[in-house]
Amino acid sequence: MRDVAVVGFAQRQMREFDGSPNCVELLVPILTELWEQTGWSKSDIGFWCSGSSDYLAGRSFSFVTAIDALGAVPPISESHVEMDAAWALYEVWLKIQTGEADTGLVYGFGKSSASPLRRTLALQLDPYTVTPLWPDTVSIAGLQARLGLDQGAWSEGDLAEVAARSRTSASDNEYAVRKGETSVDDVLAQPMFSDPLRRWDCAPVTDGAAAMIIAATDSPLYEQVKERSATITGFAHNADASSLGLRDLLRSPSTAAAGKAAGVDGSTTYDVAELHAPFSHQELILRRELGLGTGTTINPSGGALAANPMFSAGLIRIGEAARRIWSGEARTALAHATSGPALQQNLVCTLEGAH
Amino acid sequence: MSATASLHAQMHVEFPYTRSLGPVLSTFMTGLASGQIVGGVLSDGRVACPPPEFDPTTLEPVTEFRDLGSSGEVVTWSWVSEPVPGQPLDRPFAWALVKLDGADTPLLHAVAADSPDAMSTGMRVRVQWAAERTGAITDIAHFVSLVEPVETTGGGFETLAGALSSTNEDITGITTPVVLDYEYVASPEESAFGRGLKEGRILAQACPTCHKVYVPPRGACPVDGVPTSEPHELPDTGIVTTFCIVNVPYLGQKITPPYVSAYVLLDGADIAFLHLVLGTEASDVRMGMRVKAVWKPEAERTYSLENISHFEPTGEPDADFETYKNHL
């Protein structure tokens, strides 16, 4: 395995972006920020990959029009995934492993507010027996939450604790759209939105974009940026069955499998974990599957309950983890990304400081 | 609206997907059409509904089926306080995972109930069939609590007439309509362009780095990755670079074929855009032909490129190939 490090990261998150659905106006300043962070230019990037969805943009080939933001002349080597950009990062990491590239830039964008998000996301479900009913994402998460409440896997108070901590931690996050000092009682005083879930148990609809640069540590370019880097020590992803009825919704075998493949075996206590849990009970599932105990600070950024831009929120988890290693706040970190209904697809990336 | 605010427009996208069915889903949908819910037998002996096409453990095709009851038990549920279009009910209702009698895994569907208080895990529910069954998951209109009286007005399978009217033919395909609504927001550059069109002007912009003139202007010059920020008004005259003659009729076509769809390079622009060339025989249109915009009357103008109805030949001599060879 080639050691690869995160050396650049920039993000924008907001409640409603008053601009075009391919978010080019967000991507241009984000990329400028990355060039400033690294001192590199587009010719230093060996491979590019993005994550986005035409269903959010409401137009075909939106990822192709977004390439305008890169200034792709002369031609670049580029790819795209219809998943969170964390999976695009995986593709870039893999490309670097093959030796075909030494550096890579990954970006994700999504204008979640352009259509009713919880409805549009029904298009990711089984098109034969599920999508024609248009089940919304919040209701599907509600089925999972109630199962856990009924079976004693978690309590209403447990969910409120996650929501309160996420909002409170997000206070310092300039990009969080839902934040502020919040107690468990404050959460429990909120009315039900999709019983058993309150609005604060559900990630807010968020527009945004994020981008990241990674580099092989054995490449000459890395020497220029190594002062600020976080090395990827493990990286894997996995998926559960697509049929909700065939899954044990209280568990996330794909998270456990991805964690295991990424080397999460209990031997390391991570200083920080950034978990992509769009619903409060899902954080509890993820913590259990990844064996995260009290020694790990969970979601110092506030996590997805504070801001959840579709197709970049997973990458942002990895970026937030890397940022804390750059600052010295953490030496080891675990980042997780999810995609699909009720935590169907999961990705785990572990990071470590150079020293 | 201020002169610099983004232009917004409602956008409605609608398309039917026609999907063919393999043997497993064909069995399931054929069952639904006749008012019978069918489950598939998994390698571990469990009966799954809907039947998966492949066993989740062995990945072998599912080939054995079982008829299931039309009643079952709610395994878990959530309340929809604000339904969205297309859902089985347009008033608040519950989604539930329902384990039908004879099945071991639950089916996702809607349960009609007056309030969350009427719902509970473990409650018994039964199918309310749709008035007309076509062999689709929506043949199950929704579920109702078993204590509700049976509705027979819908011609459901509880009535003999309903059972007799159902087809015996195998369902081998389904059509699933997709209906989506968006609020489209134009970029600052597109918004300025749209406002210009309303005034009958073509407000292009040039890239500050390579100075290429883009029409419409763009959020980023694809060569340099920076917004096209330099204002550059263009005339409504130009040339046809390349074109095609449309001979194929299609749904929603506004002009009778044959007609010409052409790339028009406005005088002073570096990028051609697609428009119509009318007012002449399609067979007369050629590369390099000089054309001029025909605008719609001011009263009919919006913020769209459709403000230009089409382009027409000016009769001037054709442009020399050398002058536009780099714009093809």
Side-chain angles (χ1 to χ4, degrees):
Chain A
M1 283 285 173
R2 283 179 98 184
D3 269 347
V4 175
V6 177
V7 299
F9 172 65
Q11 59 174 314
R12 296 286 185 281
Q13 304 185 73
M14 61 204 69
R15 205 171 274 282
E16 231 171 278
F17 169 56
D18 187 35
S20 53
N22 60 17
C23 299
V24 160
E25 305 100 293
L26 294 179
L27 290 171
V28 168
I30 282 176
L31 290 169
T32 305
E33 221 175 295
L34 287 183
W35 305 141
E36 282 165 4
Q37 283 179 21
T38 54
W40 295 355
S41 64
K42 61 189 178 190
S43 58
D44 294 317
I45 302 299
F47 186 62
W48 306 66
C49 194
S50 61
S52 71
S53 171
D54 283 353
Y55 281 123
L56 275 203
R59 59 182 292 183
S60 53
F61 293 106
S62 56
F63 75 95
V64 176
T65 61
I67 291 174
D68 282 5
L70 316 181
V73 176
I76 57 171
S77 175
E78 179 269 343
S79 181
H80 175 261
V81 296
E82 187 109 352
M83 293 185 86
D84 188 283
W87 274 264
L89 179 71
Y90 186 84
E91 185 174 337
V92 174
W93 177 79
L94 216 55
K95 196 80 164 181
I96 294 176
Q97 294 302 331
T98 66
E100 281 185 41
D102 289 339
T103 58
L105 191 149
V106 55
Y107 60 99
F109 63 91
K111 193 173 167 182
S112 310
S113 69
S115 66
L117 180 66
R118 65 192 167 103
R119 179 177 186 273
T120 304
L121 287 178
L123 292 164
Q124 71 183 333
L125 304 170
D126 167 24
Y128 298 93
T129 63
V130 186
T131 301
L133 303 171
W134 293 91
D136 53 285
T137 26
V138 176
S139 297
I140 288 174
L143 295 172
Q144 188 179 35
R146 184 174 318 275
L147 205 61
L149 291 169
D150 284 344
Q151 299 190 10
W154 48 72
S155 67
E156 224 178 313
D158 293 337
L159 304 194
E161 216 165 282
V162 171
R165 195 209 61 238
S166 300
R167 291 174 59 90
T168 304
S169 301
S171 301
D172 301 330
N173 181 351
E174 63 173 304
Y175 299 110
V177 303
R178 197 181 269 168
K179 56 183 166 184
E181 200 71 36
T182 307
S183 71
V184 169
D185 287 341
D186 293 338
V187 178
L188 291 173
Q190 294 288 312
M192 288 291 174
F193 170 56
S194 185
D195 192 340
L197 297 173
R198 296 173 167 83
R199 275 188 202 275
W200 290 355
D201 288 316
C202 314
V205 174
T206 314
D207 294 343
M212 181 178 283
I213 294 181
I214 59 174
T217 59
D218 59 15
S219 80
L221 274 168
Y222 177 71
E223 289 302 310
Q224 305 167 9
V225 292
K226 66 178 181 186
E227 292 310 313
R228 212 177 65 146
S229 77
T231 307
I232 295 173
T233 50
F235 207 169
H237 67 93
N238 208 305
D240 292 319
S242 64
S243 166
L244 286 170
L246 288 176
R247 288 169 54 189
D248 174 358
L249 293 175
L250 297 185
R251 301 300 304 258
S252 180
S254 59
T255 300
K260 195 173 166 211
V264 181
D265 57 6
S267 63
T268 305
T269 300
Y270 298 95
D271 297 332
V272 161
E274 278 283 340
L275 305 177
H276 187 194
F279 298 91
S280 49
H281 64 278
Q282 293 177 346
E283 183 192 298
L284 303 172
I285 298 175
L286 295 172
R287 271 158 52 182
R288 174 182 174 184
E289 298 297 355
L290 294 168
L292 299 173
T294 48
T296 302
T297 305
I298 307 287
N299 287 351
S301 69
L305 293 185
N308 187 40
M310 293 303 300
F311 297 92
S312 62
L315 182 70
I316 289 171
R317 304 280 72 74
I318 299 170
E320 287 287 352
R323 224 162 55 80
R324 281 173 174 79
I325 287 176
W326 294 346
S327 71
E329 227 173 294
R331 199 188 64 79
T332 55
L334 180 152
H336 158 270
T338 197
S339 207
L343 295 179
Q344 191 213 346
Q345 303 140 31
N346 295 283
L347 173 148
V348 174
C349 177
T350 56
L351 300 159
E352 199 174 274
H355 28 83
Chain B
M1 190 187 290
S2 86
T4 53
S6 305
L7 290 176
H8 290 223
Q10 295 305 310
M11 186 169 71
H12 181 77
V13 180
E14 188 169 349
F15 48 95
Y17 262 121
T18 304
R19 299 178 184 276
S20 56
L21 301 175
V24 173
L25 286 171
S26 175
T27 304
F28 181 64
M29 298 303 182
T30 303
L32 289 176
S34 66
Q36 175 63 57
I37 304 172
V38 173
V41 183
L42 306 182
S43 59
D44 58 10
R46 288 184 304 157
V47 176
C49 178
E53 294 185 282
F54 297 93
D55 186 278
T57 317
T58 64
L59 310 181
E60 291 296 319
V62 170
T63 53
E64 257 189 84
F65 301 94
R66 295 276 185 277
D67 284 352
L68 305 176
S70 55
S71 303
E73 182 189 309
V74 169
V75 174
T76 181
W77 60 277
S78 59
W79 188 251
V80 185
S81 55
E82 295 170 22
V84 294
Q87 293 186 332
L89 291 149
D90 57 9
R91 55 183 190 274
F93 68 98
W95 285 109
L97 288 175
V98 177
K99 200 192 284 184
L100 289 165
D101 297 339
D104 297 295
T105 73
L107 166 83
L108 175 68
H109 219 296
V111 178
D114 292 335
S115 77
D117 297 336
M119 291 297 302
S120 60
T121 301
M123 75 188 277
R124 297 277 303 164
V125 291
R126 65 168 173 75
V127 168
Q128 177 66 56
W129 292 99
E132 243 182 272
R133 295 191 305 265
T134 60
I137 191 66
T138 44
D139 288 354
I140 300 174
H142 51 80
F143 284 80
V144 292
S145 166
L146 207 54
V147 298
E148 299 276 323
V150 176
E151 251 183 67
T152 52
T153 48
F157 101 121
E158 294 85 356
T159 66
L160 185 60
L164 289 177
S165 71
S166 67
T167 170
N168 288 322
E169 273 179 41
D170 282 356
I171 304 292
T172 56
I174 56 170
T175 305
T176 53
V178 172
V179 181
L180 298 164
D181 283 286
Y182 296 88
E183 175 157 291
Y184 183 85
V185 181
S187 68
E189 295 79 13
E190 288 169 328
S191 297
F193 180 66
R195 285 202 177 80
L197 288 171
K198 192 154 195 319
E199 295 169 11
R201 299 165 68 195
I202 301 172
L203 301 182
Q205 282 180 347
C207 168
T209 306
C210 68
H211 305 294
K212 278 206 164 70
V213 176
Y214 288 92
V215 56
R218 309 168 78 113
C221 164
V223 177
D224 299 296
V226 294
T228 58
S229 52
E230 295 174 0
H232 198 111
E233 186 161 356
L234 292 174
D236 63 358
T237 54
I239 59 163
V240 171
T241 58
T242 181
F243 67 96
C244 76
I245 300 175
V246 180
N247 286 301
V248 184
Y250 58 85
L251 195 70
Q253 198 168 36
K254 290 176 182 166
I255 304 165
T256 314
Y259 63 91
V260 172
S261 202
Y263 269 101
V264 174
L265 182 69
L266 294 177
D267 297 326
D270 285 294
I271 307 291
F273 62 87
L274 198 60
H275 219 296
L276 297 166
V277 175
L278 304 176
T280 183
E281 286 299 317
S283 55
D284 286 343
V285 176
R286 54 200 181 267
M287 291 174 76
M289 182 184 236
R290 298 276 313 155
V291 291
K292 181 173 172 48
V294 176
W295 293 82
K296 282 185 181 167
E298 212 168 324
E300 290 174 29
R301 283 185 207 157
T302 62
Y303 296 97
S304 155
L305 197 51
E306 288 182 358
N307 288 353
I308 295 176
S309 151
H310 58 272
F311 283 81
E312 269 181 7
T314 62
E316 297 164 273
D318 288 0
D320 187 45
F321 181 74
E322 289 298 312
T323 63
Y324 62 88
K325 68 174 184 188
N326 292 328
H327 295 289
L328 293 171

